[in-house]
Amino acid sequence: QVQLAESGGGLVQPGDSLKLSCVASERPSSMFAMGWFRQAPGKEREFVAAISHRGDGSTYAESAKGRFAISRDNAKNTVYLQMNGLKPEDTANYFCVADHVYKGTYWPADYAFWGQGTQVTVSS
């Protein structure tokens, strides 16, 4: 079972950028499609972005399009989420996810493996 370890969260101001990282414990990470979800207090988990095994396909939530970019470096077993133009509504715990199949779907149940999350807070 793959383990996922997120990092890079923190407290930033509106308009700032932040880059999240997620390292997968199993090699090669190219065995897995990977992605990001987020969950704000009192809300359900929300899909953010997903990327295919080789990084040649990606899917974004409408809220992430144009501001966030997902990428991966399989040599480092790592997937990234570059977040630009952050807004207070982006405040959430961000979870890295993985699955053997790339579906690019928005449903949490479609992703078998989850990290513990990293907190992102956007506030002035």
Side-chain angles (χ1 to χ4, degrees):
Q1 181 170 343
V2 64
Q3 293 185 335
L4 305 171
E6 305 97 333
S7 62
L11 172 63
V12 297
Q13 295 187 339
D16 283 354
S17 297
L18 205 58
K19 188 172 185 177
L20 306 182
S21 300
C22 171
V23 179
S25 63
E26 252 187 64
R27 294 179 180 272
S29 65
S30 57
M31 291 171 57
F32 301 95
M34 300 182 75
W36 294 91
F37 276 73
R38 67 186 183 185
Q39 187 169 23
K43 295 188 177 182
E44 294 184 351
R45 289 188 178 185
E46 175 190 23
F47 173 80
V48 177
I51 190 166
S52 61
H53 301 70
R54 295 184 178 183
D56 52 354
S58 59
T59 309
Y60 292 91
E62 286 299 318
S63 59
K65 288 180 181 177
R67 297 190 301 128
F68 295 2
I70 190 170
S71 61
R72 66 188 300 162
D73 184 344
N74 286 338
K76 296 182 179 179
N77 270 28
T78 302
V79 65
Y80 305 98
L81 185 68
Q82 176 68 48
M83 303 185 293
N84 300 322
L86 284 162
K87 305 175 182 180
E89 52 263 44
D90 294 317
T91 295
N93 197 11
Y94 283 70
F95 297 91
C96 179
V97 298
D99 197 88
H100 289 291
V101 180
Y102 174 62
K103 306 181 187 75
T105 60
Y106 290 30
W107 308 113
D110 284 343
Y111 298 87
F113 307 105
W114 289 71
Q116 294 298 309
T118 184
Q119 179 67 35
V120 172
T121 302
V122 185
S123 175
S124 55

